Amino acid sequence: QVQLVESGGGLVQPGGSLRLSCAASGFTVSNYWMYWVRQAPGKGLECISTIKNDGGGSYYADSVRGRFAASRDNAKNTLYLQMNSLNSEDTAVYYCVKDSSAPGYVYDSWGQGTQVTVSS
């Protein structure tokens, strides 16, 4: 059974930091491309980070480049998203997402999402 469980969201002040985790089961994350996707209130889905399979590169959306860093711990089969210098536009539900392949360019499995709220 493919399962993704996000955690680590919460309330943070502008300029602060949070670290999100995504625990995966039912598959090995190093064999697939993975993504972090978010949806802010009143806006559509935005893919903010791509984590390629072992030995590959990565991608960050312009909105988060230089502030966010995605990583993967193969021993724990877990993804992370370190978020720094947060601002109000980062308020959103954050999801980790599994690609169908390496790559298939298809979002075929989603976590339940974790809420991040940036407010003073």
Side-chain angles (χ1 to χ4, degrees):
Q1 295 290 128
V2 172
Q3 187 172 13
L4 299 166
V5 181
E6 299 99 331
S7 62
L11 177 65
V12 64
Q13 293 183 325
S17 299
L18 283 175
R19 190 190 194 196
L20 306 184
S21 298
C22 174
S25 60
F27 73 102
T28 301
V29 298
S30 62
N31 292 335
Y32 297 86
W33 283 29
M34 303 289 295
Y35 309 92
W36 285 99
V37 178
R38 69 182 182 183
Q39 185 167 28
K43 299 183 181 296
L45 295 170
E46 179 187 20
C47 182
I48 59 172
S49 181
T50 299
I51 308 169
K52 298 181 178 179
N53 55 311
D54 285 348
S58 61
Y59 167 81
Y60 295 95
D62 290 344
S63 57
V64 306
R65 188 177 297 111
R67 299 188 297 119
F68 291 11
S71 61
R72 174 176 57 202
D73 187 331
N74 291 335
K76 296 181 178 180
N77 210 38
T78 298
L79 306 177
Y80 302 97
L81 183 66
Q82 179 66 48
M83 305 185 295
N84 300 319
S85 301
L86 289 162
N87 59 65
S88 61
E89 294 187 353
D90 296 316
T91 294
V93 178
Y94 286 74
Y95 303 90
C96 65
V97 185
K98 173 186 175 291
D99 202 328
S100 63
S101 189
Y105 302 111
V106 174
Y107 301 151
D108 71 351
S109 298
W110 294 67
Q112 83 288 352
T114 186
Q115 175 71 48
V116 173
T117 301
V118 184
S119 176
S120 60

